[in-house]
Amino acid sequence: MANRVTKSDVREIIDTSLGDAGVSACITAANSLIGTKSEMLSTLTSDVLRQIELWLAAHFVSVADPRVSEEATRETRVRYEQPKAGQGIAGSSYGQTAIALDSTLTLADAPATRRASFAVL
């Protein structure tokens, strides 16, 4: 399926130093992820799917081009925000927004976002 969002759309919600090719690759990844789950997401409107694709693309941009979360003077320390390992798309605020938009809970139930639970008997 054709991409639902453009590079300009993505750049409106996330500032990035990635070039057009990098942003396009993130859009393609988001579109592909939605495509692999199209049957489960089929009840969502095209507007909602567009929003999910937008926020997923921003998530992938944040993985490829981490945000500065802390800067320090004198010591010249910069800390980058990285999506949390093992949490998949739930590891960034952009991915969490995409999950929140999905009323089918398909994205929330993705293997990387599931948490294990253990019981002691």
Side-chain angles (χ1 to χ4, degrees):
M1 164 161 245
N3 294 337
R4 296 170 183 85
V5 299
T6 66
K7 296 179 292 272
S8 299
D9 296 332
V10 175
R11 290 183 190 279
E12 284 182 26
I13 63 167
I14 187 168
D15 186 33
T16 182
S17 62
L18 291 179
D20 285 347
V23 175
S24 290
C26 292
I27 292 169
T28 299
N31 182 273
S32 295
L33 179 60
I34 291 171
T36 63
K37 300 182 180 303
S38 62
E39 187 174 314
M40 294 173 278
L41 298 171
S42 64
T43 60
L44 300 176
T45 67
S46 60
D47 289 338
V48 171
L49 287 172
R50 182 184 179 289
Q51 285 298 309
I52 290 172
E53 185 170 303
L54 175 64
W55 289 96
L56 284 175
H59 166 77
F60 291 128
V61 167
S62 77
V63 171
D65 183 22
R67 316 291 88 212
V68 173
S69 65
E70 178 184 325
E71 293 183 49
T73 56
R74 287 192 184 184
E75 296 175 17
T76 317
R77 180 180 60 197
V78 176
R79 187 168 294 172
Y80 292 92
E81 178 183 307
Q82 284 282 16
K84 293 167 185 58
Q87 291 188 348
I89 60 175
S92 76
S93 59
Y94 303 102
Q96 291 168 12
T97 301
I99 290 168
L101 290 164
D102 174 18
S103 62
T104 70
L105 304 179
T106 299
L107 297 176
D109 197 35
T113 59
R114 285 189 209 141
R115 298 201 185 272
S117 61
F118 300 92
V120 178
L121 302 174

